[in-house]
Amino acid sequence: DIQMTQSSSSFSVSLGDRVTITCKASEDIYNRLAWYQQKPGNVPRLLISGATSLETGGPSRFSGSGSGKDYTLSITSLQTEDVATYYCQQYWSTPYTFGGGTKLEIK
Amino acid sequence: EVQLQQSGPELEKPGASVKISCKASGYSFSGYNMNWVKQNNGKSLEWIGNIDPYYGDATYNQKFRGKATLTVDKSSSTAYMQLKSLTSEDSAVYYCARRSLLRPYFDYWGQGTTLTVSS
């Protein structure tokens, strides 16, 4: 199974900060990487697919990058509504696997 | 509008079985695989498996083989997941989520079904 590691389980950040969340796969996943946002008490929501493609309706302050084993999700200027847990997920091979999540909190 | 409507919360005793449903609307049911994902206590997510509604073929995460059984009823556009021999480890929120060949990630999710296993 491909293991997905998000190095930080939580971040405490200030409004307006630039935030970068990292995700590392245990092997090359050829950009088959999605990011999901889960707000407290809500359902996971697809944010980014193919490592870099922002879903329709996704705020432009979100972006994804990376290749091979290493990927990042960036938020250029953190807003209150971005408080959530972010998960990466590989869909290169089954079983599809998720990272442990990175929770963003406001300082 | 795409919607995946799941059945309500379940409270079951250890050793019992439960069947959770996911009714799809707003798209061609047979055109998308239905996936099931487990979330323990708001923590991370585990893929259980998926089913192709057109052929009825299911693929399972080895970890859940023998625990989960996935089925569909095409006539009602509903997917089902049965969990058997329940233990406290099965207490979690279970989501259905659709996936297609062209969009091979989980683009729409059900609202989740909370399963509590307790004597």
Side-chain angles (χ1 to χ4, degrees):
Chain A
D1 298 2
I2 297 176
Q3 300 215 7
M4 305 299 291
T5 302
Q6 293 179 240
S7 55
S8 296
S9 59
S10 65
F11 266 113
S12 186
V13 295
S14 299
L15 293 177
D17 278 357
R18 179 182 179 90
V19 177
T20 299
I21 297 170
T22 62
C23 175
K24 187 176 184 71
S26 58
E27 59 185 82
D28 196 328
I29 57 170
Y30 303 96
N31 287 13
R32 291 351 186 245
L33 190 284
W35 288 98
Y36 300 88
Q37 176 193 61
Q38 187 175 32
K39 296 184 180 181
N42 278 15
V43 178
R45 168 197 171 193
L46 176 67
L47 258 184
I48 286 175
S49 59
T52 61
S53 298
L54 185 66
E55 282 295 294
T56 302
S60 58
R61 61 183 178 274
F62 288 90
S63 64
S65 64
S67 62
K69 298 180 186 180
D70 297 297
Y71 299 87
T72 60
L73 173 69
S74 297
I75 310 171
T76 53
S77 178
L78 189 78
Q79 305 298 304
T80 307
E81 58 266 32
D82 301 333
V83 169
T85 300
Y86 294 85
Y87 296 95
C88 60
Q89 178 239 333
Q90 66 81 17
Y91 50 93
W92 171 243
S93 68
T94 57
Y96 308 122
T97 46
F98 294 83
T102 298
K103 185 176 182 179
L104 295 187
E105 297 170 320
I106 303 295
K107 280 182 185 173
Chain B
E1 179 193 5
V2 174
Q3 289 192 353
L4 301 176
Q5 183 65 38
Q6 296 186 226
S7 48
E10 301 277 3
L11 173 60
E12 299 290 345
K13 294 189 184 310
S17 296
V18 69
K19 195 170 188 177
I20 299 169
S21 66
C22 172
K23 182 172 177 57
S25 60
Y27 72 97
S28 173
F29 181 63
S30 295
Y32 291 78
N33 283 2
M34 191 65 76
N35 293 258
W36 291 87
V37 176
K38 178 182 183 183
Q39 185 167 40
N40 295 295
N41 286 328
K43 295 179 183 176
S44 193
L45 302 154
E46 289 184 283
W47 179 74
I48 296 169
N50 66 17
I51 186 164
D52 179 340
Y54 188 85
Y55 293 106
D57 295 337
T59 302
Y60 296 92
N61 183 337
Q62 183 65 31
K63 178 178 178 179
F64 293 94
R65 192 174 287 276
K67 168 63 68 176
T69 302
L70 307 183
T71 57
V72 294
D73 177 358
K74 286 191 288 186
S75 68
S76 63
S77 298
T78 303
Y80 298 92
M81 177 178 66
Q82 182 173 30
L83 299 170
K84 67 180 185 182
S85 304
L86 295 172
T87 73
S88 59
E89 297 296 306
D90 298 315
S91 294
V93 177
Y94 293 88
Y95 294 101
C96 59
R98 75 168 199 178
R99 178 183 187 273
S100 71
L101 282 176
L102 289 179
R103 289 173 58 82
Y105 30 81
F106 308 134
D107 61 352
Y108 282 90
W109 296 61
Q111 83 276 21
T113 297
T114 300
L115 170 65
T116 304
V117 182
S118 174
S119 55

Coordinates of all heavy atoms in Angstrom, one line a residue, chain A residues 7 31 61 95:
Chain A
S7 N 3.3 15.9 7.2 CA 4.3 16.0 8.3 C 3.7 16.8 9.5 O 4.1 16.5 10.7 CB 5.5 16.7 7.8 OG 5.2 17.9 7.2
N31 N 1.5 12.4 -10.0 CA 0.6 13.5 -9.9 C -0.9 13.1 -9.6 O -1.8 13.9 -9.8 CB 0.6 14.4 -11.1 CG 1.9 15.3 -11.1 OD1 2.8 15.0 -10.4 ND2 1.9 16.2 -12.0
R61 N -7.2 31.5 -3.9 CA -6.1 31.6 -3.0 C -5.5 30.2 -2.7 O -4.4 30.1 -2.1 CB -6.5 32.3 -1.7 CG -7.6 31.6 -0.9 CD -8.0 32.4 0.3 NE -9.1 31.8 1.1 CZ -10.3 32.0 0.8 NH1 -10.7 32.8 -0.2 NH2 -11.3 31.4 1.5
P95 N -5.0 0.0 -2.6 CA -6.0 0.8 -2.0 C -5.7 2.3 -2.0 O -4.6 2.7 -1.7 CB -6.1 0.3 -0.6 CG -4.7 -0.2 -0.3 CD -4.2 -0.7 -1.6

